[in-house]
Amino acid sequence: MAIGWAMAMLAAATPAPPSPDAAAIERLVERFNTARTDFDAAALADTLGSEYQEISPVGDVDDRAKVLGFYRPEDRRPAPPMQGSERQIVVRGATGIETERRTITMTRPDGTTVTRSIRVRYVAMRAPNGWKLVSAQYTPIPPAK
């Protein structure tokens, strides 16, 4: 009896593998972020739906054309790596939402570092040729006091 109870507790503590749709959305978001980091306009365009809108950390609303224009390869500039964590994905029919924390550590000119985090919500829609992002919103997380 104790072994059965222990097995049930272990099974309850083990997260279920993501659904195929959730895994596809996770890959889509990773492709999107890699394309942004690499200033890969073709890969970025491939991840975005035609109706894509993005809300920046300062509240600006940018449409697909403006976002693609910002990541032109000739405008590439170095950027510190950003790490993702606290990922949650919800899929309902043809809509998927991924919410995660993205953290960046920057080195100041004096050599000290500062770490900042934002909460990002990505909205994806199922399209005939796979999932496409239709929205992203970036909300700064205030630093701990």
Side-chain angles (χ1 to χ4, degrees):
M1 183 68 119
I3 292 175
W5 181 81
M7 294 298 285
M9 290 302 293
L10 181 59
T14 304
S19 72
D21 286 334
I25 292 166
E26 184 175 342
R27 288 189 304 273
L28 174 69
V29 168
E30 289 303 320
R31 280 195 325 267
F32 170 73
N33 285 319
T34 298
R36 286 180 15 175
T37 300
D38 295 346
F39 279 66
D40 184 339
L44 186 60
D46 188 50
T47 65
L48 302 181
S50 60
E51 64 279 359
Y52 181 81
Q53 285 189 338
E54 182 173 292
I55 301 173
S56 77
V58 296
D60 293 339
V61 178
D62 300 325
D63 65 13
R64 183 179 196 273
K66 189 169 184 180
V67 170
L68 291 173
F70 184 75
Y71 291 101
R72 293 183 312 209
E74 62 270 19
D75 293 335
R76 184 177 182 163
R77 56 201 163 281
M82 190 176 281
Q83 304 298 318
S85 64
E86 301 175 19
R87 177 178 285 145
Q88 298 175 354
I89 301 172
V90 176
V91 180
R92 296 285 185 264
T95 304
I97 299 171
E98 179 174 322
T99 305
E100 70 177 311
R101 179 186 193 114
R102 307 272 310 161
T103 302
I104 187 170
T105 301
M106 300 167 283
T107 303
R108 294 179 174 150
D110 67 3
T112 61
T113 60
V114 61
T115 300
R116 295 287 185 258
S117 294
I118 58 174
R119 184 81 58 205
V120 187
R121 171 155 291 169
Y122 307 94
V123 179
M125 299 288 289
R126 189 187 322 269
N129 56 345
W131 290 91
K132 299 291 183 183
L133 288 179
V134 295
S135 179
Q137 180 170 345
Y138 300 87
T139 303
I141 299 173
K145 294 188 182 211

